Structure formats: C-alpha cells, structure tokens
Amino acid sequence: MIDTKKLAKEFNNLGEGAIVLIETAASKILEVHLAAVKWLSDKKYTQIILSTSRPCKNLLNLYQKNNIDTNKIVMVCSVCQEKEKKEQKNSKVIHLQSSSSLTEIAISLSKCMESMKDKKFVFIDSINTLLIHNEPNTLAKFIHSILTKMRTNNVSGLLISLEAETDKEVRAEIAQLCDKIMCDKIVKV
Amino acid sequence: MNFSMKKILPKKRMGTTLKTAPRQKRLAIKTKISPKQKKQRPPFQKRVSFAKSSKDTKKAQKAEEFVKTGIVGFDALLDQGIPLGTSVLVAGGTGTGKTIFCLQTLFNAAKKGEKCLYLSFEESEQRLKKHLDDFKWDWRDLEKKGLLKIVRKEPFSMTASIEAMLAKAKGELLIDINEVLEIIPKGFQPDLIAVDSITAIASAFGKKEDGYRIFIEQLFRYFETLTITSFLISETEQMPTIYSSSGIEEFLADGVIVFYAIKQGNIRENALEVLKLRGAKHQKKIVAMQITDMGIKVYPEQEVFGKIGE
C-alpha cells in the first residue's frame, strides 16, 4: 500500500504549472497512478492522460471502480490501437497507432493542451513503457519537447517511471527538466 | 545557338556546373514559343492590369506574386507563399504524400478560380479522381467550370516524340515542346500545373540519359516562359539525399519540397521540409506532417523525433 495521504500532501504543495516525476516500484505503479488521478479529479483538473501501459478501456474501468470522475479525463491511448470509427469519434479517447509514434503523440498532446481552457494536467504513464518502444535519446528529446510545451502553456505535469529501472542517462535528463522528483513516500529533490 | 549539350547538361552529379553557372547564361537556352502561346499571357500580368496607378500596380503585383497552397500549416512555413511562375520539385519516397500534396494544392487553387492541370504519367485519371473523392474534395464542379483538369499521359509513347523532337532540333534547342507533346491540352491555359512524375518520364527514357536531361531542361524553361507555377513530382528513397533521377532537376527547379517517411520503431512518421525556394523566405526545418481524412496537415511548430540521416 502506498501512503496516499502523503502523496496528496505533496501534490497540494505543488504550485501551478509544476512538473513532477514520480519513481515507484513496479508492484505499486498502478496504485500510484490511481491515487494521482483521483487527487487530480478531486481538484477538478482536466486531465490529459497518455496511456502507454494499459489499454484505455481497462484504465477507464479502473477509474470508475475507484470512484474517479472521468468526465474531465481525456485519454491519449497508444496501446489498444483501436481503429473503430465509433471510438475515434469519442472525443474523450484519442487512439494512436503505436507507442513508437512519438511525433503523433506530441501532436495529440499539444492539440489537447491548446484546445482545453480549464486548468490542465498532463499525465504520462509511463517512461519505462515508452522506453520499450523508443531509443533512450529519442525519448529524452520527446520528453524535453513535451515539457517545454507544457511550460509554455502553463500546464502542470506528472510523469511516472520505475525506480532504478530507467536508463540512467535518460533518467538524469528527464529529472533535470522536472520541478520535483518523488518516490512512494520520500521527496527526493 | 550552337551549344554543346555536354557542356550545358553534364552527366550525373555534374549539375554543379548548372548550379554555378549564371542564371542568365542558363536561360540562354530558350524555348521556342508559338505565336498562339505568346497570346497566352502570363497569368500574373493579366491580373495586375486592373490596377489604376503604377503605385497600385506595384501593390497589386506584390500581393499577386505568390501562390498559397491552402494546405493547413504548410503556408506558415513560407513568408508570403510560393512565387508565381516558379517550378517546384516535390521530392520524396513512395507513400510520403507527394501526390496528395499536389492534388490538394491544385484543388485549393482551382476553388479560388485558378486554372489547374494535373498531368499524370502514372495513375489513371479515374484513380486520381477517386483520391479526390476519398478526401471529399468535390472536383466535379471545378472540372465543369474548366478550372481543374486531370490528364493521363503515357510516358513511353511520349519518349518517341521527344527523341524525334531532339533529333530535329540537333543541338539548336529551339524547341516547341508543347507542339510535339501536347503537354498542355489545346485551349487550356493553366496557372498551376502538377507533373506526376518526372521519374516516370525518366524511366521511359531508359538509358538515354542525355535525351532526358535535354527534355527536362526544356520542360522547366517552357513552364517558366509561360509563367506557370509548376509542381514536378520526383520519386526518391524514403530518406533522400538526391532529389531526382538525374540529380540536375533540383538545380533547375526554383524550389524543392522534400517529403520524408521517417522510421521510428515499427512505424513511419511523415515529415516535410522546404529545402529551397528562390525568391521567397521560408523556414528551414523538417516539420511533422500527417495525411488525414481531409488531406495533408502540416505542423510547422512540431519537430519530428525519428532519426533523419546520420
């Protein structure tokens, strides 16, 4: 179990537009994900969630089971590669062809950031799954580009990665772009 | 004029001679224009004649001197647009969006009242029209109004005519290519033309590379003389370093737009760049592009993450 109260407290201390990297154990990553989305939902943030680990349908079911309001959630899903027109028309889910298509992901995230007027939060889950599909340097370039856009648009952000599993160089590059790095219980920086 | 062809049009990759030669000298290779064609005014001159004073003329001239593609995001790469009457090489690998780019540009221009001709040496008219339908671009009304024409030419039958034409010219190079090849349909005076593709023409020439080089030089000059803004499609590798069959087309063209399909993991991402465009300011970067249900969409601010070259 993760200390959700502590996590919420840490989130409460974040300023508008802050970007956070959470490093967690593989066994706790879903729990951290749900706790973060729950907190953001309670705070009435419009969440743009990049789902590269689980299919969007699965995540949306989990949100509902955990009493998370999904009305203000937009999923950018690169997992299920859904091609059905019905799904494409659903404005709450944007299906992408692959977790390798970083340019397409960047375009979709940018569109979401620019089109939504409410206070927004971009949630990237996870760095490690993106690393399965992309070269470390390419991914670092992508993260840099996205975080720059987030800062330009004053959008807050949350990135999840596995503790001690992430490529050291990429981890260092991404960490220096974030305002805060958290582990399950301890704030590292 | 007794130009030695080898001096003017050197063999493969010797296009640097052309590149470095003064433009005036290059233009010395004149295309013969028939009296009928002379009457076919350059479209820009016709338009500015409505201006009242010389000041107005200049103003109108400036506004009308550029062509907009109407493609979302693409025109933002250019300061004012594509200079009227220039020839643009549209280069890229298979499936990168060259044909769609040209169809979309011509369709958008035709909607604004420009006369456009799509000259295909590969796909049939029916297939190209189906492409237009797929994007829900209603070409029928434009065709009826005589604003958009799609014509298919057989490259191999054309080659014979070109060879005869060249034999007749014997180095004089005073050639009326339209008379021989009927590139532009009789009675049709296009403002914009797309040639799809010059690679198909080059293939039809086979090993007769000199013949192709002479022809392509003439073709560029011919469009230039008639002030037609032309888009010449060139098939290349997916990540090209040479943008045409003989390597000289990119020097002859006023502009080069390169389309890329960049391999990234198990997929390819589309991108494009304006490599050069004489007489126009443009952004010099490779930007993301998507082929959507509504045609090409360019993202001038979006970099691409795949590896481009070494």
Side-chain angles (χ1 to χ4, degrees), chain B residues 185-198:
Chain B
K186 277 176 186 167
F188 193 74
Q189 301 168 19
D191 299 306
L192 270 78
I193 188 166
V195 178
D196 186 1
S197 66
I198 52 168

Side-chain angles (χ1 to χ4, degrees), chain A residues 23-35:
Chain A
E23 295 180 319
T24 184
S27 58
K28 291 178 183 173
I29 200 162
L30 180 62
E31 215 179 331
V32 172
H33 177 120
L34 292 171

Side-chain angles (χ1 to χ4, degrees), chain B residues 117-119 121 151 153 158 162 177-186 188 190 193 195 201 215 218-219 222-223:
Chain B
L117 172 65
Y118 196 96
L119 202 57
F121 291 92
V151 176
K153 290 245 169 221
M158 213 179 76
I162 295 165
I177 39 176
N178 201 46
E179 198 171 279
V180 182
L181 307 172
E182 284 186 7
I183 292 169
I184 299 168
K186 277 176 186 167
F188 193 74
I193 188 166
V195 178
I201 301 171
F215 166 72
Q218 293 299 307
L219 192 67
Y222 178 66
F223 291 151

Side-chain angles (χ1 to χ4, degrees), chain B residues 275-302:
Chain B
L275 190 68
K276 79 164 181 179
L277 193 54
R278 285 182 193 132
K281 283 182 186 170
H282 60 92
Q283 289 193 37
K284 290 173 182 171
K285 60 181 180 181
I286 298 174
V287 297
M289 177 205 109
Q290 286 181 332
I291 302 170
T292 70
D293 292 346
M294 294 161 78
I296 283 175
K297 207 169 176 185
V298 178
Y299 299 88
E301 301 303 325
Q302 182 59 60

Side-chain angles (χ1 to χ4, degrees), chain A residues 123-134:
Chain A
F123 186 1
I124 299 175
D125 182 8
S126 71
I127 301 291
N128 301 78
T129 332
L130 285 169
L131 270 171
I132 297 170
H133 299 275
N134 299 284

Side-chain angles (χ1 to χ4, degrees), chain A residues 85 97-98 100-104 106-107 110-111 133-135 138 141-142 145 149, chain B residues 264-270 288-290 293 297 299 301-307:
Chain A
K85 291 273 177 189
Q97 55 177 333
S98 164
S100 298
S101 52
L102 295 179
T103 308
E104 194 186 13
I107 290 169
S110 301
K111 273 185 196 169
H133 299 275
N134 299 284
E135 295 287 324
T138 311
K141 197 174 151 191
F142 163 77
S145 168
K149 272 182 194 161
Chain B
Q264 169 72 3
N266 60 342
I267 54 121
R268 284 191 184 271
E269 293 187 322
N270 290 114
M289 177 205 109
Q290 286 181 332
D293 292 346
K297 207 169 176 185
Y299 299 88
E301 301 303 325
Q302 182 59 60
E303 63 179 308
V304 280
F305 299 105
K307 277 184 187 168

